[in-house]
Amino acid sequence: MAQKSADRDRCATGVEGLDTILYGGIPRSNTVLLTGSCGTGKTSLALEFLIHGALKGENSLFVSVTENSEKLLANIIPYMFFDKSLVKSGRLVFIDLPVMYERLGMTKAELGMEEVDLLVAAIRDLAEELAIKRLVIDSITSVCYKLKTSEKIRDFILKLGKALSDLNCTSMLVGEVPAQSTAYSSFGVEEAIADGIILMANMERRGDLLRTLQVIKMRGTMHSRARYVLDLTPMGVLLVPWLKGGSTG
Amino acid sequence: MAQKSADRDRCATGVEGLDTILYGGIPRSNTVLLTGSCGTGKTSLALEFLIHGALKGENSLFVSVTENSEKLLANIIPYMFFDKSLVKSGRLVFIDLPVMYERLGMTKAELGMEEVDLLVAAIRDLAEELAIKRLVIDSITSVCYKLKTSEKIRDFILKLGKALSDLNCTSMLVGEVPAQSTAYSSFGVEEAIADGIILMANMERRGDLLRTLQVIKMRGTMHSRARYVLDLTPMGVLLVPWLKGGSTG
Amino acid sequence: MAQKSADRDRCATGVEGLDTILYGGIPRSNTVLLTGSCGTGKTSLALEFLIHGALKGENSLFVSVTENSEKLLANIIPYMFFDKSLVKSGRLVFIDLPVMYERLGMTKAELGMEEVDLLVAAIRDLAEELAIKRLVIDSITSVCYKLKTSEKIRDFILKLGKALSDLNCTSMLVGEVPAQSTAYSSFGVEEAIADGIILMANMERRGDLLRTLQVIKMRGTMHSRARYVLDLTPMGVLLVPWLKGGSTG
Amino acid sequence: MAQKSADRDRCATGVEGLDTILYGGIPRSNTVLLTGSCGTGKTSLALEFLIHGALKGENSLFVSVTENSEKLLANIIPYMFFDKSLVKSGRLVFIDLPVMYERLGMTKAELGMEEVDLLVAAIRDLAEELAIKRLVIDSITSVCYKLKTSEKIRDFILKLGKALSDLNCTSMLVGEVPAQSTAYSSFGVEEAIADGIILMANMERRGDLLRTLQVIKMRGTMHSRARYVLDLTPMGVLLVPWLKGGSTG
Amino acid sequence: MAQKSADRDRCATGVEGLDTILYGGIPRSNTVLLTGSCGTGKTSLALEFLIHGALKGENSLFVSVTENSEKLLANIIPYMFFDKSLVKSGRLVFIDLPVMYERLGMTKAELGMEEVDLLVAAIRDLAEELAIKRLVIDSITSVCYKLKTSEKIRDFILKLGKALSDLNCTSMLVGEVPAQSTAYSSFGVEEAIADGIILMANMERRGDLLRTLQVIKMRGTMHSRARYVLDLTPMGVLLVPWLKGGSTG
Amino acid sequence: MAQKSADRDRCATGVEGLDTILYGGIPRSNTVLLTGSCGTGKTSLALEFLIHGALKGENSLFVSVTENSEKLLANIIPYMFFDKSLVKSGRLVFIDLPVMYERLGMTKAELGMEEVDLLVAAIRDLAEELAIKRLVIDSITSVCYKLKTSEKIRDFILKLGKALSDLNCTSMLVGEVPAQSTAYSSFGVEEAIADGIILMANMERRGDLLRTLQVIKMRGTMHSRARYVLDLTPMGVLLVPWLKGGSTG
């Protein structure tokens, strides 16, 4: 939405191109849906967002739902801008949601309405205790599989978003959609509740499969809605406009 | 529908281009479905419609279903034409539907037939008490999730439309459809009952994602059915014809 | 179907272009499905069909299912060819089906097989009592929502069609299909039973949304099957061939 | 299937073009699925097939499922080649299947396995008693709605086909598919059991809606598989090749 | 799969073009899915495969599921290469599966797990007793309708394939897919289990409907994967490459 | 994900082109989804991966779910690089999962949650006992049919992946998708959990059906995402870039 000079405070993602697109970063305390199909670089972007925050002194939390966080760590160690001490100092925290489920006794395949509230409270308390300012849930789709009904999914995202926003924490919810899907989310409700939507996609060009990024919506700031090509490099994520010069896509 | 000189009274939206398209505004007391996918600017347009009414002295009500109205207010404060005193004076009222659900004891996931009537009555009474002339429900899709069957959705929209029309109140029901969907509504019945349909969409042009607006139907007035490009600016919503001059889209 | 000189009697719709397409009008006593998505002008065409009949002295009945008939009347008053005295004199009758449901005690969400028969009898009796020669049900889709199974829908349309045909009454059943759908009906069975199908559609041309009309089928007469552009004017519905001269569509 | 000189006996349809396509007509005793969407001329073609048979002295039976046979008769009277005496003499018989259902006490919405056998027997007995050589069921799709499961539909068509084939009767089963569908049948099993498939379709060309006919499969004869344009005239059905000369379609 | 000189023994289909495509024929004891929509020539090809085997002294069995085998025989008698004595001598055997169902007491609409085993055993015993070397089931899709769950379909095809392979019998399972479908099978599991897939299709070219054949997969041999045009002639099936010379398809 | 010099250890597939694409091979202990429709060469590639490992002294296990492993062996014997002694020496082990199901008493059509754990443990124990370093499950889709719910599929793949990763075993899960599908998996969840996705496809070019390979995602290494043409030869799998030089695809 267009805005006067009295802009909301920003949470710079650390990905230079993305911060430019967003006129300085994500409006602080927004809940953003980072969505796309497999292999589009969602986890890499989310990690860079957290590492960048931790390097600037903001406590950051990665809530892993499908992947083992140890394995995840092994994969990001080679990043040039990554510093293991961030994890040791507690600036960058990894937690496996299945472990949290177990601790809360949520062993059934489907969570009930009260368990949704318990889960939101547990994440909120952890975020408050650790003074978390940046949070990633990878993936929200996996959580949705345990919620099942659109009512509970709406409820969970709304309440979690409100709780984190109250803590002034900026969040990225990683969404998974099937390959070649044009939808923004798997359950169709995640997108309507989020404050912002960053869409990552695979696009074939002359036999190559390019990664692209596009900000569809972001409450509280002006932003470009153009499509960018995303490059994963040892220095982190790079963004280039989809159409450089006058060439045809 | 085409009309003689004895035109129905108009409710100017305040968005200059849209009022021109509608030959002066929405026919007063119509219920309009404002529909589109995420990030197409539905909430911005609906808010401008209410603010404009409030500035002209018409009491306006925003019924928020998915988003916290406090957060919403924070996001519109920077609008150049927004004046905080409108809220203080009670000209512009924000209310969270979940709060109303709770007050009415509607805690179950699905509302029954009698609860539909209760909900309509509650909104009607509030609108009457506050002498509301413009009302927005954002989003009607979220309400539909609690109604579930097409029978109850038809019933709710028909009865609410009739009640608000009797109060001479002009309404916008914000509808959400999935990205790239060509449908006018999520449940397929909302569109058939509304007096008008304003369709907002995302259209890709050379790697950029443009917002467009098109009036599909509006009972009680002639109107353009052409597609317009919508621009969100600090001065509010701007409309430009999709095809300026003879260029190809 | 092609015919000899001994043509069936015609019921002129009053829309000049359409009567030309149909070689003089709808074969009297036919049941026609008038189908299309929202905003394609179905209700306007159906109303003009009834008003024209009333002006020629044929009693005409509009059975409103979703819209309040009072509101409907308010919207057609500005029509240049409309004359309020038609309603006062009883030549043009409006009735709300929900009122009839209530009178018949049909309050459940789904009608049973016997209720289908009762409903057909009630409409038939009313049509006979008022000596109705033209009848519109707007929309048959809404009625179908109360019938639910294809068996009951087939039964209802077959029996109603037979009953009205016996009264020598010509009928239009207004059908709603989703936007951009290529289907002729929502439940897929309405189209197979009707004597005729008039398809109304929205077609985009250079950013404008044109209304089109096409007669797909009409038992008992030869007819054009070409697509026409439909224009709603204060003088009523106008039809222009889709392709004038040699230009490309 | 390709054949030697010892060709099977033919049942000429009387539609000159179609008989040419089929190298003389439908192989006698075949069961043919005549399928297409609304308004493609299926009933007209099926009637012409029966009338032609009756004129040649072969007793012909039209089993009407959805339409009243009286109304049907009224519509074909103007055909130039139709002779009312055919009906009076019993050469051309019309029967309404709903009447037969009632006589057999098949009043439930879904027929059971034993009722399928009863229905086949009843049609067979009637065909035998009247010495029927050509039979049309319009539509088989409506019958399928009462059978519901693919098992019962397969069973019904197989047994009916066998029974009629034993009587040396050639049959056309009229199938309905949704508009723009590319399927050969509504339930997907009718097509696999029939001895032949004649596909009728609507095709848009420059704003006009042409009817086309194509023989997809015909056991027991060679045949063209090209698409033809079908014209309904007072003299009956005319066929013209889709592409005359070298012009582009 | 590519192979060394020590090639597996081949079962020549007798269709010259197909044997060339397969570098000599189907690897002996393979189970091949012969799949396509109605009218693509599947049964003709399967019959030619059996007749050719019988002529070479290999006992061949046609298991008919939907069509009466008597009628089938009547249709192939005109084939120039067909010799009635093959049937009399027992070299070419036709059997109706419904008859076998009855003998085994499998009268229910859905077969249970144990009945699957019984059916496999019955077919196996018959094949062993008659020393069958080539077997066709027309169609496997009809059998699947009685199995219903993907578990039982997998089970049936796996066990049948293993049993026939142990008898050194080469089999063709005829599969039916809907018109214009791009799937290889109706239930989606048949294709994954078969040793080979031969896809037959209808392709429209300039208003004509051509039959095409393509070998998608064949375990145990190298093969062409190009598309061929299939012609049904009195001399049997002929294959021509889809693109002769350099012309465009 | 992009990486520093401290690369993870690689497991060379032995397919030269694929190892180049992956900058040396699959990161050791990754679980890779090898997915594609029928006849795209998945099994051939998976076998070459195992044979290559066995030749280098790494114990390799092929878990066959749908095909009999004896038959499979018969088909690979002609491979030029295959050496029967690998099987005799126990370097290359084939095991049929149905046999394992039986041994574990898992005879029901659907496995329960505890049986998922038992199955993972059984595979893990076998892999540990035989000191397996490379494992293929062909196909994981067949296993999913026994798991049915997405919850159990996620659970199975996550736990199995973790167990095999702990044994430093690199795995390929063969996935089946329908022909022409653009999805990466049949159940939609396999792809989100795997560490890598290798997509194999059929692509038609001028009437020929080419096999293609594309690495969509691979955690722990940089890799090309271009599409390659795959050729099955007696010397094994060959890869060629989809677009050689500047020609158009």
Side-chain angles (χ1 to χ4, degrees), chain F residues 145-216:
Chain F
Y145 274 112
K146 263 185 112 72
L147 300 175
K148 288 202 166 78
T149 70
S150 54
E151 262 302 295
K152 279 186 284 184
I153 294 172
R154 292 198 158 236
D155 225 52
F156 175 71
I157 301 181
L158 270 176
K159 287 177 175 165
L160 182 68
K162 171 112 178 53
L164 295 173
S165 172
D166 288 351
L167 296 174
N168 209 23
C169 173
T170 308
S171 316
M172 279 189 180
L173 308 180
V174 176
E176 298 157 6
V177 293
Q180 258 84 39
S181 164
T182 58
Y184 294 150
S185 64
S186 269
F187 293 84
V189 297
E190 304 92 305
E191 67 202 66
I193 306 170
D195 296 309
I197 300 173
I198 299 178
L199 177 66
M200 306 187 72
N202 281 325
M203 302 208 75
E204 188 124 8
R205 190 148 65 173
R206 301 193 185 183
D208 201 1
L209 197 65
L210 302 180
R211 294 179 175 95
T212 67
L213 178 152
Q214 197 164 24
V215 177
I216 303 296

Side-chain angles (χ1 to χ4, degrees), chain C residues 26 30-34 171 173 190-191 193-198 215-219:
Chain C
I26 299 170
N30 264 5
T31 301
V32 176
L33 182 69
L34 182 67
S171 315
L173 308 180
E190 305 92 305
E191 67 201 68
I193 306 172
D195 296 309
I197 300 172
I198 300 177
V215 178
I216 302 296
K217 149 176 149 179
M218 189 60 69
R219 289 185 186 136

Side-chain angles (χ1 to χ4, degrees), chain D residues 72-144:
Chain D
L72 209 115
L73 259 175
N75 278 337
I76 59 166
I77 287 175
Y79 262 121
M80 283 191 169
F81 54 87
F82 179 65
D83 182 347
K84 281 185 206 180
S85 68
L86 292 174
V87 176
K88 280 180 202 149
S89 66
R91 278 268 177 262
L92 181 56
V93 185
F94 286 82
I95 157 167
D96 290 352
L97 195 62
V99 173
M100 198 181 258
Y101 286 150
E102 232 161 272
R103 224 182 300 145
L104 294 168
M106 296 175 176
T107 52
K108 273 175 292 182
E110 182 173 353
L111 300 185
M113 272 290 195
E114 315 74 38
E115 289 174 311
V116 168
D117 291 341
L118 279 178
L119 186 58
V120 169
I123 297 175
R124 203 211 82 96
D125 291 351
L126 187 68
E128 188 171 30
E129 188 189 328
L130 302 178
I132 298 300
K133 290 295 162 235
R134 296 181 184 216
L135 182 146
V136 164
I137 297 183
D138 186 358
S139 68
I140 190 70
T141 314
S142 288
V143 180
C144 291

